[in-house]
Amino acid sequence: MQDPQTILNPDLWRLRDAFRAQGFDLRLVGGCVRDLLMDLTPKDVDLHTDATPEECVAVYNEAGVRFEPTGLQHGTISVIFDHVAYEITSLRTDVETDGRHATVAYTRDWLVDLERRDFTMNAMSMSFEGELLDPFNGLADLREGVVTFVGDPEKRIREDYLRILRWFRFRGRFGNQDNQADCDAVQNLCKGLEQISRERVWSEVKQILSRPSGPAQLKDMHDMYIAVHVDLPAWIYDITEATQLAAQQANAITIMVSLYGSKTLPVLLKWKASGDEHALAEFLCKNQDENPFRCMAVQGVSRAWARELALLQNRDAFELAVLD
């Protein structure tokens, strides 16, 4: 476990003291706690507090802290120290959900806030001194490689169907065994993914494919009859080459082309991928038999695109090194 002091700075300590001076507290929560427990350096430092947003604003004004109401409708306010933003969210409970968004009310109960989160490994809170609040055995699940929903998996999914894709993403990063109740819930409710914006689907798939396990996760989505609900093609190529590409940190577009060939193009249109992403997919589909260096010389493509083509063609290490 990493000491939380590695991600805390004097400004955050002073802010915690300001909250406590008003009878409130401030704690680390979610992904940063999970990563600290895995001895990883968190990308983001997220915090939660038992102060309401209005009470937070009063604390910030009293302490002379710069802040921005980045997600005020969800109880989130960002404080800025030395040009770095830290999201601080008031403890919440869900009043109403529609499968993607929630209407929230504020609470003083730390456990109530944690029980509305998606997976047990994300439902942990930690004091600045390193005291862990883990009401759903997230640390044990993290150590055992079980990505499991907090409480009733069907209830968690009905609150936000995007959690199905997040389940595959976290499973690919942390998982090595499944809870059958989670698998059943994911399969039973997968039609709800049709309610999720296609941009969010693509955002999640890109993150799934950012890890070596990504192609295997997409194959599982096909095997579990989930892929159709996010507009993926009906069939998938052998994932061996795609897995090799993922291990070499190939672009998600390149991995998609390896898995689906030219059928990638209409999928990207449905997912509203960017123009550059769609252009790369078209280039890879049209030039799979072309020499990457010739594409650079004749077509004027970038070195980055030529490298993706070389990866797709399984070029030797020397050629790849030249393109790096």
Side-chain angles (χ1 to χ4, degrees):
M1 168 183 162
Q2 277 201 31
D3 190 320
Q5 309 315 314
T6 60
I7 62 172
L8 295 171
N9 57 46
D11 289 320
L12 287 173
W13 276 99
R14 284 193 291 270
L15 183 61
R16 201 279 297 266
D17 290 343
F19 271 96
R20 287 192 166 183
Q22 299 298 323
F24 308 118
D25 204 356
L26 186 64
R27 296 176 63 94
L28 299 165
V29 70
C32 66
V33 175
R34 179 198 65 227
D35 290 349
L36 286 171
L37 292 170
M38 292 193 68
D39 201 25
L40 301 172
T41 300
K43 292 182 179 179
D44 301 299
V45 179
D46 292 330
L47 306 106
H48 63 167
T49 178
D50 53 346
T52 66
E54 292 78 11
E55 291 165 339
C56 288
V57 168
V59 170
Y60 303 148
N61 285 328
E62 177 71 20
V65 173
R66 180 186 166 199
F67 64 93
E68 295 179 359
T70 49
L72 194 55
Q73 70 273 29
H74 306 298
T76 300
I77 300 174
S78 293
V79 298
I80 297 92
F81 294 122
D82 195 23
H83 306 292
V84 177
Y86 300 89
E87 288 193 350
I88 300 177
T89 303
S90 297
L91 304 184
R92 299 168 295 178
T93 182
D94 291 341
V95 175
E96 184 178 355
T97 60
D98 64 4
R100 182 66 190 98
H101 304 100
T103 301
V104 301
Y106 300 109
T107 177
R108 305 287 191 193
D109 192 327
W110 301 89
L111 297 184
V112 168
D113 184 73
L114 292 176
E115 74 180 2
R116 69 181 294 277
R117 295 173 182 264
D118 50 10
F119 310 117
T120 59
M121 62 178 61
N122 292 335
M124 294 183 284
S125 176
M126 182 180 287
S127 72
F128 281 26
E129 292 80 10
E131 177 189 5
L132 183 66
L133 180 60
D134 180 17
F136 306 106
N137 299 313
L139 179 55
D141 290 335
L142 187 62
R143 287 173 172 169
E144 294 172 11
V146 181
V147 180
T148 186
F149 292 94
V150 174
D152 179 357
E154 291 209 356
K155 180 180 179 183
R156 291 284 84 78
I157 292 171
R158 289 184 191 279
E159 290 168 348
D160 184 356
Y161 290 108
L162 186 66
R163 286 172 173 169
I164 293 175
L165 295 183
R166 285 174 57 83
W167 182 73
F168 282 101
R169 172 155 64 90
F170 278 86
R171 185 172 174 254
R173 183 178 178 190
F174 300 109
N176 57 40
Q177 57 181 306
D178 288 328
N179 179 319
Q180 189 58 50
D182 294 329
C183 293
D184 292 344
V186 164
Q187 287 187 283
N188 292 340
L189 298 174
C190 60
K191 187 174 175 57
L193 284 168
E194 295 174 10
Q195 300 179 28
I196 302 300
S197 76
R198 301 299 89 174
E199 296 97 325
R200 290 308 304 266
V201 168
W202 176 219
S203 176
E204 285 294 325
V205 171
K206 277 193 286 190
Q207 292 183 76
I208 290 170
L209 292 177
S210 70
R211 308 196 68 82
S213 59
Q217 295 302 313
L218 260 63
K219 183 178 185 301
D220 284 349
M221 288 173 63
H222 282 271
D223 292 345
M224 296 170 73
Y225 304 102
I226 290 166
V228 64
H229 298 293
V230 291
D231 300 315
L232 282 169
W235 49 266
I236 191 170
Y237 288 132
D238 188 296
I239 68 167
T240 303
E241 291 184 4
T243 301
Q244 292 173 349
L245 289 171
Q248 297 180 78
Q249 297 183 315
N251 190 296
I253 294 291
T254 309
I255 301 170
M256 287 284 292
V257 171
S258 175
L259 289 170
Y260 301 108
S262 61
K263 293 184 182 296
T264 299
L265 298 175
V267 173
L268 292 176
L269 283 175
K270 290 180 180 179
W271 286 351
K272 300 182 181 179
S274 72
D276 286 345
E277 289 170 334
H278 201 273
L280 173 58
E282 286 188 323
F283 165 74
L284 294 174
C285 290
K286 291 177 181 178
N287 294 278
Q288 290 195 54
D289 298 324
E290 286 285 349
N291 184 292
F293 295 97
R294 184 176 185 279
C295 290
M296 288 176 63
V298 176
Q299 299 183 32
V301 303
S302 68
R303 185 179 295 270
W305 279 24
R307 181 182 184 274
E308 295 301 319
L309 180 58
L311 285 170
L312 189 63
Q313 295 173 345
N314 195 25
R315 294 270 174 170
D316 63 41
F318 174 76
E319 290 177 296
L320 291 172
V322 171
L323 291 167
D324 278 335

